């Protein structure tokens, strides 16, 4: 089943767009089914669960951490993550910078733009992101933007969210010379096709690959 779901998505996903298979709540057996079908990029959002899985799964998996991250959980996540997509506060950014300095590492990150109607959703404003990008960090490499659209069935609302983050990324690229700042991570199971039309370079798909989370 996992293999068929993957195949169906890859049939429609342009080859230059990276598919993150979001495996949260699903057991390592399901991840291995996707792995054996060729998938190498996976996403998790809970530090404890992520560390436990990463420790036992093949080392050539490219892990994307996509969840809210508390600063006291960095030690669970940063040894394994290829990229942290969900940098959503200055406090977290500073803690990642410090962890990188302490461990002689440069950590790839995306900055999360607060999209969508929900107040509870994390992320920065456009202005905050501009401020962050105007400074230099020596142990964090800014690779692009991440966003989660409003949780709704109304495609026009989702589309407006995607259009906003797409335009912001373009404007950053035009005004600031940011080498390596290329990624736009938007789109989940129900809206990844729409995200691709709005310039997504990364889509994060869980349910459509692994089925519902219990
Ligand atoms: C769970 C999750 C996804 C995947 O959601 P699906 O609807 O299952 O595809 C994508 N992005 C983030 C940040 C998530 O937490």
């Amino acid at each position: 089943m996992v293999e068929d779901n993957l195949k169906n998505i890859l049939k429609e996903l342009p080859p230059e767009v990276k598919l993150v298979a979001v495996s949260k709540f699903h057991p390592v057996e399901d991840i291995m089914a996707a792995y054996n079908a060729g998938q190498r990029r996976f996403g998790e959002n809970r530090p404890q669960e992520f560390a436990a899985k990463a420790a036992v799964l093949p080392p050539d998996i490219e892990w994307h951490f996509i969840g809210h991250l508390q600063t006291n959980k960095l030690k669970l996540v940063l040894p394994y993550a290829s990229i942290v997509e969900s940098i959503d506060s200055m406090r977290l950014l500073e803690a990642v910078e410090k962890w990188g300095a302490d461990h002689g590492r440069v950590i790839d990150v995306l900055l999360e733009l607060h999209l969508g109607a929900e107040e509870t959703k994390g992320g920065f404003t456009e202005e905050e992101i501009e401020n962050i990008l105007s400074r230099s960090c020596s142990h964090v490499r800014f690779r692009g933007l991440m966003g989660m659209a409003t949780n709704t069935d109304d495609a026009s609302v989702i589309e407006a969210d995607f259009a906003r983050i797409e335009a912001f990324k373009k404007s950053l690229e035009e005004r600031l010379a940011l080498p390596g700042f290329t990624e736009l991570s938007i789109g989940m199971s129900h809206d990844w096709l729409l995200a691709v039309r709005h310039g997504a370079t990364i889509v994060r798909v869980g349910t459509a690959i692994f089925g519902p989370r219990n």
Side-chain angles (χ1 to χ4, degrees):
M1 193 191 82
V2 166
E3 190 175 349
D4 292 336
N5 292 343
L6 265 175
K7 241 187 238 153
N8 288 333
I9 293 169
L10 291 172
K11 248 192 309 208
E12 289 185 76
L13 191 72
E16 68 276 13
V17 179
K18 303 179 187 83
L19 174 63
V20 175
V22 177
S23 48
K24 64 192 189 194
F25 294 85
H26 292 282
V28 295
E29 291 74 22
D30 292 6
I31 300 177
M32 281 311 296
Y35 181 92
N36 288 330
Q39 179 68 21
R40 289 294 180 275
R41 201 176 283 112
F42 292 87
E44 289 280 340
N45 74 337
R46 298 188 301 178
Q48 220 88 37
E49 177 183 348
F50 170 47
K53 287 172 171 173
V56 300
L57 284 160
D60 65 338
I61 288 180
E62 178 186 313
W63 289 107
H64 289 223
F65 192 80
I66 61 171
H68 181 63
L69 183 53
Q70 286 171 298
T71 55
N72 62 350
K73 301 283 168 59
L74 294 187
K75 58 182 179 298
L76 291 171
V77 168
L78 297 183
Y80 297 111
S82 295
I83 187 165
V84 177
E85 294 201 13
S86 43
I87 298 290
D88 58 2
S89 74
M90 271 316 292
R91 192 176 137 83
L92 175 59
L93 180 59
E94 280 161 9
V96 172
E97 167 71 18
K98 178 167 189 310
W99 193 94
D102 290 347
H103 293 79
R105 294 252 327 264
V106 180
I107 317 293
D108 278 358
V109 305
L110 303 183
L111 296 171
E112 182 173 353
L113 178 66
H114 178 101
L115 271 186
E118 296 90 351
E119 288 291 334
T120 49
K121 267 190 190 144
F124 296 107
T125 64
E126 278 92 344
E127 192 183 356
E128 287 168 335
I129 288 178
E130 301 233 0
N131 284 334
I132 291 168
L133 292 174
S134 70
R135 325 175 193 186
S136 66
C137 283
S138 39
H139 296 279
V140 168
R141 191 185 296 122
F142 299 114
R143 300 300 317 279
L145 299 177
M146 184 271 227
M148 287 176 86
T150 306
N151 189 7
T152 173
D153 293 331
D154 185 342
S156 70
V157 173
I158 297 172
E159 185 138 34
D161 287 340
F162 287 165
R164 179 176 143 205
I165 193 169
E166 180 185 27
F168 181 52
K169 169 141 179 292
K170 272 211 185 94
S171 124
L172 289 173
E173 283 167 348
E174 281 163 15
R175 289 177 297 114
L176 317 174
L178 297 167
F181 192 86
T182 53
E183 306 292 355
L184 181 59
S185 177
I186 48 174
M188 304 172 27
S189 287
H190 62 291
D191 56 17
W192 65 266
L193 265 173
L194 199 55
V196 166
R197 274 186 252 135
H198 283 282
T201 65
I202 298 174
V203 293
R204 310 177 306 267
V205 179
T207 313
I209 295 171
F210 296 107
R213 293 178 283 273
N214 298 312

